[in-house]
Amino acid sequence: MTKRTNRKRIWGWWFFDWANQPYHTLLVTFVFSPFFAAVATDYFLSLGSAPESAQAEAQALWALCMTLTGLTIGLSAPFIGAMADLAGRRRPWIVIFSLIAFFGAWGIWFMDPGGSNLYLILLSFGIGFIGAEFALIFVNAQLPSLGSKEEVGDISGSGFAFGYLGGVISLFIMLLLFVEQDSGKTLIGLDPILGLDAVAREGTRAVGPFVALWLLVFMIPYMLWCTETPRPRKSGGVALAFATVVQSIAQLRHRRSLAGFLGASMLYRDALNGLYAFGGVYARLVLDWSITQIGIFGIVAAISAALFSWLGGKADRAFGPKPVIMTAIVVLMAVCATIVGMSRTQIFGIALTEGSTLPDTLFFICGVLIGGFGGILQSTSRSLMVRHTRPDQATEAFGLYGLSGRATAFLAPALIGIATTMSGSARLGLLPVIGLFVLGLVLLAWVRAEGDQA
């Protein structure tokens, strides 16, 4: 393969991050999740719940959705990955799961602002999110074929940076042209475009079809440029795939570094996903931000994620992924402590004057750090996984990586849901995330910086 051909494959691979990132930026974090939280809170208020109780019920419902989708992804990913390795092709699986993501996102358009179909919309979102995550596992499995062990960190970091840039642009478009503020106008004072009804919240609900179409359009460069060479098909089907995964898991006891990395990433990536999934909800419920404010916050976070991911790729190439990962975790732990310690009226127990904007300023700074170091954590983790992956088992290996990222994906949402319910506070509900980061950092002590491809 010529350098030019491989460079084209890398650009195609980056375009998948560009196509897929708005699913996380717009739906999981900055537009749909706070919109859902607001609608669910109003719905529970209409049923007679007290204001703080209604907020806690809304956050607990979102936590349940993220818990169930995480369990589904985590338990299924390794087996589906092994089946793809046996079949010798990844692209058909990527197409199928991307179509599932497309239709799941589109279903958000039908959400009733009055809350009558909350559970149906959560089901649509959950199915689409599962499709998007499965597609990403297969795309990640292509990373080892794009460069050497020393190059993949840079390639991964640049891919995340490119993806976050797509997230920023998509969020800009939504805020400027679609999402209606309390006034019924968008951020720049326009009516939502395409004749969308602001009273029915059609501008905000359009985030679903927008993300679906974005995914469909920008999958085209990926499909055209990131080609793959089919490998020989192996017989055995589901039974052999199951046996292969069971054997791989059993062999982890002989691969201390890989086992330590999968265990660590299982915990710290779960903590990070908890931050992403509940950041917008926190801003809505604790700081009482509008969706437009949350969207601006998202733009700031996504821009920092793009820049930091690119810089993280350079740091990965210079120092290796492990020290970069450890630094990112420490920073994110400090951010979590800050978020848990503040509210609209106080910071770490120190009362604020009425109307103080200090919590807003601090949360914006936290957004920069969450976006920036979260991007670094994801891109360098993908790079460190390559150092533990054999090319002929890449999809299965990244299926295990998907398992480690999702096997306990129920844990952060479940712990947040439990802590929220027990404390009756959406703010204190985020406290368990710190513990997950700490445990992940401890397990990294068993991981070899140079990896293990035995």
Side-chain angles (χ1 to χ4, degrees):
M1 183 184 299
T2 65
K3 269 190 173 181
R4 182 177 180 182
T5 300
N6 194 57
R7 195 66 189 169
K8 195 172 183 180
R9 289 184 70 232
I10 291 172
W11 269 103
W13 190 78
W14 286 344
F15 257 103
F16 184 86
D17 275 331
W18 176 284
N20 191 58
Q21 182 58 39
Y23 221 99
H24 299 266
T25 302
L26 299 185
L27 300 189
V28 177
T29 308
F30 296 117
V31 177
F32 175 65
S33 65
F35 175 57
F36 177 86
V39 170
T41 298
D42 290 342
Y43 176 72
F44 290 125
L45 283 171
S46 72
L47 296 180
S49 296
E52 191 165 5
S53 176
Q55 292 176 350
E57 289 178 78
Q59 180 159 294
L61 182 59
W62 182 251
L64 176 64
C65 174
M66 299 307 294
T67 298
L68 294 178
T69 56
L71 276 173
T72 303
I73 295 164
L75 295 177
S76 306
F79 301 101
I80 293 175
M83 288 175 64
D85 280 334
L86 294 174
R89 298 287 304 276
R90 299 187 185 107
R91 284 163 66 92
W93 297 82
I94 294 169
V95 171
I96 290 170
F97 288 121
S98 294
L99 286 173
I100 292 172
F102 175 89
F103 287 110
W106 197 284
I108 290 171
W109 166 255
F110 300 101
M111 183 170 184
D112 174 18
S116 65
N117 60 352
L118 281 178
Y119 296 94
L120 185 61
I121 296 303
L122 269 188
L123 178 64
S124 180
F125 163 78
I127 290 172
F129 185 57
I130 289 169
E133 287 290 289
F134 275 151
L136 183 60
I137 288 169
F138 287 93
V139 172
N140 282 343
Q142 296 174 315
L143 179 57
S145 69
L146 298 176
S148 66
K149 183 172 68 174
E150 292 72 27
E151 293 171 330
V152 292
D154 204 356
I155 294 171
S156 179
S158 296
F160 264 102
F162 191 57
Y164 278 118
L165 181 60
V168 169
I169 292 174
S170 65
L171 189 52
F172 258 122
I173 294 171
M174 280 300 303
L175 293 178
L176 297 182
L177 302 179
F178 289 92
V179 175
E180 57 280 292
Q181 303 179 81
D182 293 338
S183 64
K185 304 292 185 180
T186 69
L187 185 62
I188 54 175
L190 299 177
D191 292 326
I193 65 170
L194 305 177
L196 297 174
D197 185 354
V199 175
R201 303 303 302 273
E202 287 184 349
T204 302
R205 288 158 47 201
V207 69
F210 179 85
V211 168
L213 290 172
W214 183 284
L215 176 66
L216 184 67
V217 169
F218 291 111
M219 279 289 290
I220 295 173
Y222 167 77
M223 297 301 296
L224 291 176
W225 298 344
C226 193
T227 57
E228 70 172 346
T229 303
R231 291 163 288 118
R233 183 184 181 91
K234 299 178 184 178
S235 59
V238 177
L240 180 57
F242 182 83
T244 301
V245 172
V246 170
Q247 183 181 24
S248 296
I249 293 174
Q251 289 176 345
L252 287 176
R253 68 181 184 273
H254 303 300
R255 299 185 65 184
R256 184 178 177 185
S257 180
L258 176 59
F261 173 61
L262 291 176
S265 68
M266 179 171 64
L267 295 169
Y268 70 66
R269 285 195 293 153
D270 192 24
L272 181 61
N273 288 332
L275 270 182
Y276 286 157
F278 290 91
V281 174
Y282 173 96
R284 177 68 186 181
L285 300 182
V286 177
L287 299 182
D288 196 30
W289 282 11
S290 68
I291 291 178
T292 300
Q293 286 176 293
I294 295 169
I296 295 171
F297 169 81
I299 290 172
V300 173
I303 290 174
S304 68
L307 175 61
F308 278 64
S309 294
W310 180 76
L311 293 173
K314 303 302 179 186
D316 183 319
R317 187 162 192 161
F319 307 109
K322 182 179 175 180
V324 180
I325 289 172
M326 295 177 71
T327 301
I329 291 175
V330 171
V331 172
L332 289 169
M333 286 167 54
V335 169
C336 288
T338 302
I339 291 174
V340 170
M342 73 178 186
S343 68
R344 186 81 269 172
T345 59
Q346 59 83 37
I347 295 176
F348 295 114
I350 301 173
L352 300 173
T353 58
E354 187 175 350
S356 173
T357 60
L358 184 58
D360 305 295
T361 302
L362 280 179
F363 196 60
F364 261 102
I365 295 172
C366 288
V368 170
L369 296 176
I370 291 171
F373 284 90
I376 288 175
L377 191 58
Q378 292 180 90
S379 64
T380 49
S381 294
R382 193 161 63 177
S383 169
L384 188 53
M385 185 63 207
V386 171
R387 286 168 159 79
H388 291 84
T389 301
R390 286 170 48 187
D392 61 326
Q393 294 179 317
T395 315
E396 180 196 340
F398 272 92
L400 288 174
Y401 180 66
L403 172 63
S404 77
R406 292 295 174 182
T408 58
F410 67 92
L411 192 57
L415 290 175
I416 290 171
I418 292 170
T420 301
T421 301
M422 291 182 64
S423 67
S425 168
R427 174 175 63 88
L428 296 178
L430 290 176
L431 194 58
V433 172
I434 300 175
L436 292 175
F437 274 130
V438 171
L439 291 174
L441 190 62
V442 170
L443 285 179
L444 281 174
W446 281 269
V447 180
R448 295 167 58 187
E450 67 276 13
D452 164 25
Q453 294 181 326

